[in-house]
Amino acid sequence: MLELRDITAGYDPAAPVVRHATLALAPGESVGLLGPSGCGKSTLARVAALLHRPDAGTVTLDGTPVRGWRHRAPRAQRTAIGVVFQQPRLSADPRLRLGDLIAEPLRATRRRDEIPERLAELAPAAGLTPDLLDRRPHEVSDGQLQRACLARALVLRPRWLVCDEMTAMLDASTTAALVAAVEDYRAATGAGLLAVGHDHVLLHRWCERTLHWNDLTTTRDPEPVWLPAEVGLP
């Protein structure tokens, strides 16, 4: 179980964009989080992916509270979650060829011997031909680069996937291909999915359960309640 309970988070402690958010994702479940741009759902997704420390609240992974974030998270927790961001060009090292980009997590976890096997599995699953693996990000389209980013997210065989607006910048055919690749992986492994976006049609078709941002969080202070003055008081 991946549980976020009473999460408050943001980049300015005085003005958090997420307030008191609670979300639970069961193993193998696919949950869509629907909300308008700028509401804070991407920040919550980063908290779920252990990439952003919340100001308050708790994250629990398989019954164990999360104590560290980013590189300070225990490896077992850090590698249990794969994440795909909205803008592949901001999440890909422009110096790396796509094959090296996909293999990057394996090198970081000292599992270099697995690289040939995993590339052979993931490149076709993500729709990448062998010639594309030798190209750098500036030599491929956004859709091709996002396919590589998805393969990178899957390379450590995560048990949870966080897809933050993964298809927002892509055409319909590439969107369908990436969603199919995610679902093939989930069918094979039983991984849970948190898909964040603002396309309600896509999320309703993709996910077993769709939540609206307003269902799980408070993003602003409540309006003050003005009580009428007592009549007849001096």
Side-chain angles (χ1 to χ4, degrees):
M1 184 76 76
L2 175 60
E3 296 180 274
L4 288 74
R5 186 173 299 277
D6 202 25
I7 296 296
T8 293
Y11 301 93
D12 179 358
V17 294
V18 178
R19 299 186 184 186
H20 309 299
T22 296
L23 173 67
L25 178 63
E29 185 182 22
S30 56
V31 174
L33 177 56
L34 183 66
S37 297
C39 68
K41 59 187 184 297
S42 290
T43 300
L44 189 65
R46 291 180 63 85
V47 173
L50 312 189
L51 295 175
H52 184 85
R53 179 188 291 273
D55 299 321
T58 59
V59 178
T60 304
L61 185 60
D62 298 328
T64 302
V66 173
R67 304 297 186 191
W69 307 88
R70 298 180 68 86
H71 63 280
R72 294 184 178 178
R75 178 177 293 185
Q77 292 184 335
R78 187 172 70 244
T79 59
I81 303 173
V83 58
V84 188
F85 299 102
Q86 176 181 352
Q87 299 185 51
R89 299 199 183 278
L90 296 182
S91 59
D93 187 333
R95 300 167 296 179
L96 296 180
R97 300 181 190 276
L98 296 197
D100 294 327
L101 176 73
I102 296 168
E104 192 176 14
L106 290 171
R107 291 192 177 90
T109 53
R110 300 179 181 178
R111 294 159 60 178
R112 293 173 179 266
D113 57 320
E114 298 179 35
I115 291 175
E117 177 186 355
R118 294 301 285 150
L119 281 179
E121 293 173 358
L122 288 171
L128 293 169
T129 56
D131 63 297
L132 290 174
L133 298 181
D134 288 328
R135 300 183 188 180
R136 290 186 171 84
H138 72 275
E139 299 173 314
V140 299
S141 68
D142 286 344
Q144 291 166 334
L145 184 56
Q146 190 68 308
R147 290 171 188 267
C149 290
L150 174 59
R152 178 182 60 184
L154 302 180
V155 75
L156 295 180
R157 296 184 176 90
R159 291 178 289 109
W160 308 93
L161 287 173
V162 177
C163 296
D164 181 18
E165 303 268 16
M166 178 182 73
T167 63
M169 300 178 64
L170 308 178
D171 58 42
S173 62
T174 306
T175 293
L178 288 177
V179 169
V182 169
E183 289 307 295
D184 287 345
Y185 176 80
R186 294 185 58 242
T189 65
L193 168 69
L194 175 62
V196 177
H198 59 264
D199 185 337
H200 64 91
V201 174
L202 173 63
L203 291 184
H204 281 298
R205 290 182 177 177
W206 185 4
C207 300
E208 300 164 348
R209 181 163 60 99
T210 302
L211 303 173
H212 193 276
W213 181 251
N214 293 335
D215 296 333
L216 55 96
T217 187
T218 301
T219 57
R220 58 184 58 140
D221 292 327
E223 294 293 330
V225 177
W226 300 102
L227 300 177
E230 294 287 346
V231 178
L233 292 177

